[in-house]
Amino acid sequence: MIKMRLKSFFLTCLLASVFFTTTAQDIKVDSSSAKTLRIDPQYARGATVSQLYDEVEFIPLETNKECLFGNISSLKLVKDNYVFYDYDTKGVYIFTNQGKFKAKINASKFQQDPTDKDKEKSEFWGFTVVKDGEQDLIKLQTSKYSFYFDLDGKQVKRVLKNDEKYTSSFRFSDGKTSIDRYFQKITGKDTIRYQMVFVRNNKDSVGYFPYKPNEVYPAGQRIHNSNSPDEYMYHNYNSYDLFKVTPDKISLAYRVVLPAAITFSKDIVSNPLFKKSSFEFLLNNKVVFDIDKIQFIGNQLYLKLDSHNWTQSTKKMFAYNLKTSEVTSLQDIEPDSLSHFLPVNDGGSFYDFINYGFQLYENGYLYTSYSSLAMFTFKEQSEGKKAKFPPVLDNYFKSSNKKSNPVIIKLKPKKI
């Protein structure tokens, strides 16, 4: 399952992505204030739950025939509802913030064009949440249509993708400026492609980070919230540079330096084996090809080092203290009384945290999840700790089993 998801991740290329085509000018990126962050996974220390968090809450998700699913991806919190995608069942699920099931959205609910016989045209691989006036809607896209659902899982409308006006999810407060991935500039017979675009008034665009037409980049999140208002952080694939983006400019904020043995060097791109199959090359060489899950919380920079090394002992999730330069391995957090002697992630034992890391940071809380199989395994391991569970967990352990739906873990990080 892991390898299959990775393969689909790398097969998504720029040709299938949204392009902007307009006039543009190249602008240099300011790097005068860049800071270097050195991270060696082998020397990252662990911590106890109480050293990193002020609050821990376990939220079991209701299990019944209508809502049985595999795992949580792309978690969103929308008006006191958890909304997420599950790769196993290819569905979007809606639960209340108390874990009660509300609705499931899948392709069978779509109003398909009667002339479409190709089943793949009705498939979707995720969702976005958009505003429609005052209403929050869940947007799913197939090859031809955009489908909109309310928070009860009812379809509100279906729109031809070609009829929709482009709007970026990453807008600044001026209402005129936004950023997004991918941009192409056509001048006569020449086409220049860029990895990032800066858009003003939905039309005047500036491209950054040009790349060659035959280069393919994997899909995924490149734009992240910062710890400052009206500011985003941005990163390119196959690069460890983190950029700060404001409505006025883009500047290099941090250079992450890793040990040479796991560093994705520029020489790799010219390697014939890499050109033949980048996926197979990275699978065999275990280098870090991407930095992901970037989140600023106080002085802590949370991040994930993506590689195709999938052993449970591989450290991928870290918190880097920008004030002290200390690096904490988030897979090595020891449970204590605050977490009822249960781990707050499944790192080191299972694979959800290595796959997805922290899936959401909102209103001062971090969110992750793991399976009921992991939860009952961890409970058995903590038998000698004499843990005292809150009523919600106590009822969960009495009424559920290892095949029940996953559990969401809600954490309030200390402002270290």
Side-chain angles (χ1 to χ4, degrees):
M1 179 60 70
I2 292 172
K3 187 171 181 179
M4 183 186 73
R5 288 178 189 163
L6 286 170
K7 197 113 182 176
S8 65
F9 178 81
F10 268 85
L11 286 175
T12 305
C13 68
L14 290 177
L15 295 177
S17 302
V18 176
F19 282 96
F20 299 84
T21 305
T22 182
T23 58
Q25 53 182 325
D26 298 331
I27 296 180
K28 291 183 178 180
V29 174
D30 177 17
S31 60
S32 59
S33 301
K35 297 179 181 179
T36 298
L37 313 181
R38 299 184 183 276
I39 299 176
D40 188 338
Q42 288 188 335
Y43 293 99
R45 65 179 180 85
T48 64
V49 171
S50 298
Q51 287 176 316
L52 293 179
Y53 306 106
D54 286 325
E55 298 175 23
V56 177
E57 183 181 358
F58 293 88
I59 305 164
L61 298 181
E62 180 183 353
T63 303
N64 60 48
K65 291 180 180 180
E66 293 182 77
C67 65
L68 191 64
F69 67 95
N71 50 45
I72 295 172
S73 175
S74 304
L75 177 66
K76 303 290 183 185
L77 183 60
V78 189
K79 289 188 176 178
D80 296 330
N81 295 281
Y82 294 119
V83 183
F84 56 85
Y85 180 75
D86 171 45
Y87 280 95
D88 292 339
T89 58
K90 295 183 177 64
V92 174
Y93 292 80
I94 307 166
F95 286 77
T96 70
N97 62 359
Q98 301 300 309
K100 298 296 182 183
F101 174 63
K102 287 184 65 175
K104 175 186 175 181
I105 303 169
N106 57 37
S108 65
K109 291 192 175 185
F110 291 174
Q111 297 173 4
Q112 288 298 320
D113 189 327
T115 62
D116 282 343
K117 304 298 181 183
D118 187 353
K119 183 181 177 182
E120 289 187 2
K121 288 186 177 181
S122 68
E123 290 185 347
F124 63 95
W125 298 95
F127 69 96
T128 56
V129 177
V130 298
K131 279 284 187 184
D132 186 13
E134 296 299 314
Q135 189 177 21
D136 289 295
L137 297 179
I138 300 166
K139 179 181 179 181
L140 292 82
Q141 290 187 308
T142 63
S143 62
K144 191 172 182 179
Y145 294 102
S146 293
F147 296 86
Y148 294 81
F149 294 81
D150 64 19
L151 293 175
D152 292 317
K154 296 178 181 177
Q155 185 172 314
V156 175
K157 58 183 177 180
R158 182 189 71 175
V159 182
L160 277 168
K161 287 171 67 174
N162 292 338
D163 293 341
E164 288 192 298
K165 183 183 291 186
Y166 164 77
T167 56
S168 172
S169 301
F170 308 101
R171 302 183 68 85
F172 294 98
S173 61
D174 62 6
K176 301 177 181 180
T177 310
S178 62
I179 57 173
D180 217 324
R181 303 174 305 160
Y182 309 137
F183 168 79
Q184 71 177 17
K185 178 178 69 175
I186 298 177
T187 307
K189 295 181 179 180
D190 296 325
T191 299
I192 302 176
R193 290 172 176 164
Y194 300 87
Q195 295 187 58
M196 196 198 87
V197 62
F198 208 109
V199 186
R200 296 189 188 279
N201 300 317
N202 290 327
K203 58 180 181 178
D204 301 321
S205 305
V206 178
Y208 289 88
F209 314 115
Y211 67 93
K212 296 177 182 178
N214 62 340
E215 291 179 330
V216 177
Y217 290 85
Q221 185 59 273
R222 297 193 192 183
I223 303 170
H224 312 268
N225 291 324
S226 176
N227 56 354
S228 300
D230 226 23
E231 178 180 290
Y232 290 104
M233 298 300 295
Y234 172 85
H235 80 284
N236 287 323
Y237 283 102
N238 306 340
S239 169
Y240 307 148
D241 293 339
L242 307 182
F243 298 89
K244 181 189 299 183
V245 187
T246 68
D248 301 313
K249 68 174 185 178
I250 177 171
S251 57
L252 179 61
Y254 303 103
R255 289 189 178 97
V256 177
V257 177
L258 304 177
I262 60 171
T263 294
F264 188 103
S265 66
K266 293 180 180 179
D267 296 338
I268 289 176
V269 180
S270 60
N271 188 306
L273 294 175
F274 182 83
K275 289 183 176 180
K276 182 179 179 181
S277 174
S278 59
F279 175 79
E280 293 297 334
F281 181 91
L282 295 173
L283 188 65
N284 293 329
N285 287 273
K286 315 300 184 187
V287 297
V288 173
F289 61 83
D290 185 31
I291 295 179
D292 197 10
K293 299 295 181 180
I294 296 166
Q295 183 65 60
F296 290 86
I297 304 175
N299 290 315
Q300 299 273 53
L301 168 60
Y302 282 65
L303 50 81
K304 179 173 181 273
L305 301 182
D306 274 334
S307 71
H308 293 331
N309 191 349
W310 294 100
T311 61
Q312 290 179 340
S313 61
T314 302
K315 296 180 180 181
K316 293 193 172 190
M317 293 294 306
F318 303 93
Y320 184 102
N321 192 301
L322 297 169
K323 190 174 182 180
T324 66
S325 300
E326 290 183 352
V327 182
T328 303
S329 170
L330 298 173
Q331 290 157 241
D332 296 315
I333 302 174
E334 291 292 328
D336 59 20
S337 58
L338 183 63
S339 65
H340 320 295
F341 297 101
L342 296 170
V344 293
N345 66 66
D346 67 358
S349 300
F350 295 87
Y351 289 97
D352 278 355
F353 195 61
I354 292 177
N355 270 325
Y356 302 111
F358 287 110
Q359 297 166 314
L360 179 66
Y361 178 64
E362 193 152 329
N363 300 324
Y365 289 89
L366 280 165
Y367 294 83
T368 186
S369 65
Y370 54 68
S371 66
S372 280
L373 172 61
M375 178 63 97
F376 276 87
T377 301
F378 294 145
K379 179 180 180 291
E380 292 168 4
Q381 293 172 351
S382 67
E383 291 294 344
K385 303 290 186 179
K386 297 181 179 179
K388 189 174 182 180
F389 300 119
V392 170
L393 267 186
D394 205 31
N395 181 63
Y396 163 77
F397 284 126
K398 291 176 181 177
S399 60
S400 303
N401 57 53
K402 293 182 179 181
K403 294 183 179 180
S404 296
N405 275 337
V407 176
I408 290 175
I409 300 97
K410 179 180 177 182
L411 307 165
K412 185 174 184 179
K414 292 180 180 291
K415 296 299 177 68
I416 301 174

